[in-house]
Amino acid sequence: MINSDQQVSDKHRIKCSTAQLPIRLLLGPGPSNLHPRVNQQLITPMIGYTDVNYFKVMDETMELMRYLFQTDNHFTIPISGAGTAAMECCVSNLIEPEDVVVCLVAGYFSDRIHQQAVRYGSKIQRIEKKWGQYFSLEEIKEQLEKHRPKLLTMVFGETSTGIKQPMQGVGELCHQYDCLLMVDTVAALGGVPFFVDQWKVDACYTGGQKCLSGPPGISPLTFSPRACKKIAERKTPIANWYLDATLLAGYWCPEYNFATSQITSPQPLRRYHHTTPANLIYALRESILLVSEEGIENTWNRHRSAAHQLYQGLARIGLEPLISELNDKNDLGGRLYSLTTVKVPEGIDAKLFMKSLLDKHNIEIAGGIGELAGKIWRVGLMGFNANNSNVTLLLSTLEETLKDFKK
Amino acid sequence: MINSDQQVSDKHRIKCSTAQLPIRLLLGPGPSNLHPRVNQQLITPMIGYTDVNYFKVMDETMELMRYLFQTDNHFTIPISGAGTAAMECCVSNLIEPEDVVVCLVAGYFSDRIHQQAVRYGSKIQRIEKKWGQYFSLEEIKEQLEKHRPKLLTMVFGETSTGIKQPMQGVGELCHQYDCLLMVDTVAALGGVPFFVDQWKVDACYTGGQKCLSGPPGISPLTFSPRACKKIAERKTPIANWYLDATLLAGYWCPEYNFATSQITSPQPLRRYHHTTPANLIYALRESILLVSEEGIENTWNRHRSAAHQLYQGLARIGLEPLISELNDKNDLGGRLYSLTTVKVPEGIDAKLFMKSLLDKHNIEIAGGIGELAGKIWRVGLMGFNANNSNVTLLLSTLEETLKDFKK
């Protein structure tokens, strides 16, 4: 017997069977269903994190992410964690304690950026608007003029409200004011047109489980040369070790010089930082490969088509969208194709309604959060799930359930 | 056409096929091969993070982790990230800027704890010994007496050296000095006897991809009531948002009061913090379920049996272990069953040797890191991989490759 002085306790040795879970159609704000090819990649055989075959997977994933972000940024890597970790990677690397930062807040996730920012900096300006609104270029200019921040943070596709923040002119403005621009695209990237380079965005991230039909726990992130230069020139250490971009670069792209944005040749040895989640990276690679095969413009158009079908169907069955402004132009604000917010009709219990959809039809939609709790439903048409059949099914079950609830 | 002013770039739209990777036997320091049942769980259908079926998976995973850690700690959750993230969860929650901390350093990962600690505290004492050694109870007492720290950090199973830190009396000593005890068990838990409660450990964590035959990217962690009380009584905010234990508890165990360690009944609503990596949590649950079915004593014995077979075989083919002390008693120090370090014989190029094993036999072992680079090999027998057939195969290929290299 191996054990001598210690006694093994069986107190928590529960018996349970291998998990059996219901098959849901996930039409909430994410996670969405995994594409079958992505699922398949999750069980690709494990290999070591210094295996040359793994390095190839890493390099291809980085290149595919550049296509997804529409960027040439060399520092384009997946963060080993939730979208919230990618958010914190931006905040912790780009904010020094004495930096002035302007956080534009009009929803749950823009508020979260602010919550994180105040842990890393002491001069964080929170600029608030009502949930469901976006910030105009004039309003942004006013804040840049007033505070002269080193970093401006915003959310492009706000999952809590279904609004798309207009990007027209924002990047140029930040450049004029010598300010870095950080944009959250978790609920949008891959589903809604976004152009990191053309829009002069310095820090941007998304999550695997939204418009990529991939697993949660892996989050693409990109930093512009300007963002990397800021990191190289920091006067204070990066307060976060796991998300330290300079250490992450040592493993993902040791050939990249943050200060000069030059590429060293030949590539220096990759330095171990942490064991990356290989299964999730295999899956992420596959999910962006699907976008690359379809062509990202076609992917965007598919999301738009599904969203428009939804808008028309909702009008037909008498449900009203929260966001009235509908805008098909890429860089203008309005409804977010990937996530539609719908007002809960008077007299209907939002939660019971969702429970009925889930229990009777195995369809998940989500309720409102924060100040919109109980007032809206949130319908996600993301990635693989953004197709006309799903919308037809959803509209039909919504109509049926509405009738049940109005009886 | 969706696009108007912006032009989609196909510059990074690479064509590549679905990843085809070699099938390796992973006998390095982790990741190890996934158990087939664990692999299968990775593709269990995705469900939402507020689905009651998911809550059940979460609760079962927490209970199974308590068995794994041999603890009653209520705050026992999986961290959504690498073992290094779990490490930083301990460091960021348990260290306040003015706290005196003693970090015992005698290897790569104990050094990493120190690297992280200095980002969160200004009074971090680094106590060093030569790599491959452990700290005696007398040495630990001396440091506690001298520095009177609020936290002592150590590594139980050091992957870089193959040493097991003796735990006899350490917890009691820390209690006497009113000091919290943080122990890294990443390379050991599930493979080597460890008793969080009986050894009075306050913070402990491991990784999925070592002795659990699970995927990387999900990392079990437990905090004792003393550790939680410290967090509740912090005078300064937790500097890290993603790893903030109080926010994580809001989702995983909102019924737990950190200040009093009391359980509120009925359970309050779970508050969303981040989208947890469901696929990895399904897999983690299954990997600990395997331990629970086998019985953790049997799992430990299997690891010990494989290790002893390896020790004898290495001696037979003339390879010398780095760690001479062999100790089967649970709480005494010596060789770590799950990870054996072997001296590279004079005249053999360690890297070429490993490359030959990999290319000819698809077997991965690892080299030394840090000050042991080029001097040792590291052989992991972890989880599912810790069985006599694998050892027989490894010994036979080692012997053959040694002959090739001595020609």
Side-chain angles (χ1 to χ4, degrees), chain A residues 2-14 16-19 21-24 26 30-32 34 37 39 41-49 51 53 57 60 63-64 66-67 70-72 80-82 84-85 88 108-109 112 115-116 119-120 193 195 198-199 209 215-217 238-242 244 247 272-280 282 285-286 289 292-297 300-301 304 328-331 337 358 364, chain B residues 2-14 16-19 21-24 26 30-32 34 37 39 41-49 51 53 57 60 63-64 66-67 70-72 80-82 84-85 88 108-109 112 115-116 119-120 168 193 195 198-199 209 215-217 238-242 244 247 272-280 282 285-286 289 292-297 300-301 304 328-331 337 358 364:
Chain A
I2 208 165
N3 189 24
S4 46
D5 299 334
Q6 292 80 30
Q7 190 63 42
V8 170
S9 161
D10 280 343
K11 183 170 165 191
H12 304 285
R13 187 182 174 188
I14 52 170
C16 44
S17 54
T18 288
L21 297 172
I23 314 292
R24 307 284 201 205
L26 299 173
S32 44
L34 274 70
R37 262 177 58 186
N39 240 342
Q41 283 298 306
L42 280 172
I43 56 170
T44 292
M46 180 62 56
I47 55 176
Y49 54 75
D51 196 307
N53 296 279
V57 170
E60 288 173 352
E63 187 65 356
L64 285 164
R66 289 185 193 107
Y67 176 62
Q70 288 286 298
T71 186
D72 291 340
S80 306
T84 293
E88 191 154 358
Y108 190 88
F109 289 92
R112 171 165 294 194
Q115 284 184 38
Q116 292 189 353
R119 300 204 183 191
Y120 291 93
F195 300 85
Q198 289 176 61
W199 291 351
Q209 78 281 11
I238 297 161
N240 192 309
W241 201 93
Y242 185 59
D244 182 325
L247 300 177
Y272 164 73
H273 175 255
H274 68 273
T275 304
T276 48
N279 310 76
L280 301 186
Y282 300 156
R285 176 187 174 285
E286 192 72 10
L289 193 54
S292 166
E293 289 176 9
E294 186 174 21
I296 199 164
E297 282 173 289
W300 295 335
N301 280 325
R304 187 181 62 151
D328 273 349
K329 201 159 178 295
N330 291 347
D331 53 3
Y337 299 137
L358 196 65
E364 182 184 271
Chain B
I2 207 163
N3 189 24
S4 47
D5 300 334
Q6 292 81 33
Q7 191 62 43
V8 170
S9 160
D10 280 345
K11 183 170 166 189
H12 304 286
R13 187 182 174 187
I14 53 171
C16 44
S17 54
T18 287
L21 297 171
I23 313 292
R24 308 285 200 203
L26 300 173
S32 44
L34 274 71
R37 261 177 57 187
N39 241 340
Q41 283 299 304
L42 280 173
I43 55 169
T44 293
M46 180 62 57
I47 53 175
Y49 54 75
D51 196 307
N53 295 280
V57 170
E60 287 174 355
E63 187 65 357
L64 286 164
R66 290 186 191 106
Y67 176 62
Q70 289 286 299
T71 186
D72 292 339
S80 307
T84 293
E88 191 154 357
Y108 190 88
F109 289 92
R112 171 164 294 194
Q115 284 184 39
Q116 292 190 353
R119 300 204 184 190
Y120 291 93
Q168 199 175 57
F195 300 85
Q198 289 176 60
W199 291 352
Q209 77 281 13
I238 297 161
N240 193 310
W241 201 93
Y242 186 59
D244 181 325
L247 299 178
Y272 164 73
H273 176 257
H274 67 275
T275 305
T276 49
N279 312 75
L280 301 185
Y282 301 156
R285 176 188 173 284
E286 192 73 10
L289 192 56
S292 167
E293 288 176 12
E294 184 175 21
I296 200 164
E297 283 173 289
W300 295 336
N301 280 325
R304 186 181 63 152
D328 273 347
K329 201 158 177 297
N330 290 348
D331 54 2
Y337 298 138
L358 195 65
E364 182 185 272

Side-chain angles (χ1 to χ4, degrees), chain B residues 39-112:
Chain B
N39 241 340
Q40 195 55 37
Q41 283 299 304
L42 280 173
I43 55 169
T44 293
M46 180 62 57
I47 53 175
Y49 54 75
T50 58
D51 196 307
V52 289
N53 295 280
Y54 192 60
F55 291 164
K56 184 161 177 281
V57 170
M58 290 166 64
D59 288 338
E60 287 174 355
T61 306
M62 291 169 78
E63 187 65 357
L64 286 164
M65 286 193 298
R66 290 186 191 106
Y67 176 62
L68 176 72
F69 279 117
Q70 289 286 299
T71 186
D72 292 339
N73 290 344
H74 198 76
F75 188 83
T76 302
I77 70 166
I79 296 297
S80 307
T84 293
M87 180 190 284
E88 191 154 357
C89 181
C90 297
V91 168
S92 59
N93 282 281
L94 300 179
I95 301 179
E96 294 197 73
E98 296 297 314
D99 287 351
V100 176
V101 175
V102 165
C103 295
L104 303 180
V105 178
Y108 190 88
F109 289 92
S110 47
D111 171 70
R112 171 164 294 194

